[in-house]
Amino acid sequence: MAKEYIELVDVEYQVEEKDKRSVYAPGMTKDMIIGGRDSGNVFLFCLNDELRKSIAAQVAEKLGREFVVVGRSDGNPVLEKLAAGDNQIISLPRGAAKSAKMRELLKNNGKVIFIMCDFMTLLNASDGSDDAREQISLMLNRFEPSFMEAAHHIVRSDQSEEEILQDVLDKIAI
């Protein structure tokens, strides 16, 4: 086996501001990665509309931020406008995560949290009929993959509302 010689080349970079440095505080690099720009926005998804709105309102109150509920009929222009804002806790409708473009917009402009409801939790919140079972199955299959793809963090809903709230606050702090 013959030895192979590789010539190493030095690379020199020209820096206009020689004293310029990047300084990171503890946890800062995580925040730069998780949640895109440092907007203070938190986007919440959940198949249980009442739970999502209730948790979002409590989070906004605890953090002293603006609470916004986006309706199903509001559309993408409203979402784009909200994403450009700062320090908002935004309760999003199910369809807001359907397009890849919107998922990316949300991920890049705040932290996206998905409060994941299992089948039985949703069934217990309904009338328990066969029609409700079918609708819940359809909802889970239609929306959950989009929520999972959009989310920075997932919070389980099989806890008390106080535990869900604390879990969401802990995830925001990451």
Side-chain angles (χ1 to χ4, degrees):
M1 186 185 227
K3 287 188 176 180
E4 189 176 318
Y5 292 97
I6 301 171
E7 185 180 333
L8 297 176
V9 178
D10 286 335
V11 178
E12 193 173 307
Y13 294 97
Q14 297 294 328
V15 179
E16 289 182 24
E17 298 176 47
K18 291 183 181 184
D19 295 330
K20 185 144 179 128
R21 300 180 327 172
S22 291
V23 179
Y24 296 99
M28 187 174 172
T29 54
K30 285 183 184 178
D31 288 340
M32 290 175 62
I33 295 169
I34 299 172
R37 70 182 179 88
D38 188 18
S39 66
N41 289 336
V42 177
F43 302 100
L44 286 161
F45 284 109
C46 183
L47 288 174
N48 182 330
D49 294 334
E50 295 307 314
L51 177 63
R52 180 188 69 240
K53 289 174 188 172
S54 172
I55 295 295
Q58 292 176 60
V59 168
E61 183 180 329
K62 291 260 187 206
L63 298 179
R65 298 187 190 166
E66 182 182 357
F67 170 53
V68 180
V69 177
V70 178
R72 291 184 184 149
S73 61
D74 288 338
N76 288 352
V78 170
L79 288 177
E80 290 169 359
K81 182 179 177 190
L82 288 171
D86 292 324
N87 296 317
Q88 305 166 97
I89 307 300
I90 304 168
S91 172
L92 294 169
R94 297 176 193 142
K98 287 305 284 178
S99 81
K101 177 185 172 189
M102 290 313 295
R103 287 191 299 269
E104 203 57 37
L105 177 77
L106 297 174
K107 287 169 76 169
N108 290 334
N109 288 287
K111 292 185 180 177
V112 182
I113 297 179
F114 170 34
I115 303 172
M116 180 187 262
C117 295
D118 61 67
F119 181 84
M120 289 310 295
T121 302
L122 292 169
L123 186 62
N124 291 338
S126 72
D127 63 6
S129 67
D130 287 340
D131 185 46
R133 288 176 181 273
E134 185 178 332
Q135 293 300 320
I136 291 167
S137 292
L138 289 171
M139 255 189 348
L140 285 169
N141 290 330
R142 181 175 181 205
F143 295 109
E144 201 165 74
S146 298
F147 293 166
M148 297 285 268
E149 192 174 325
H152 290 109
H153 303 288
I154 297 172
V155 173
R156 293 182 357 259
S157 70
D158 62 346
Q159 324 174 65
S160 71
E161 195 165 320
E162 293 80 26
E163 291 171 316
I164 294 170
L165 174 62
Q166 188 58 52
D167 202 359
V168 169
L169 291 170
D170 291 345
K171 298 287 196 271
I172 292 169
I174 292 177

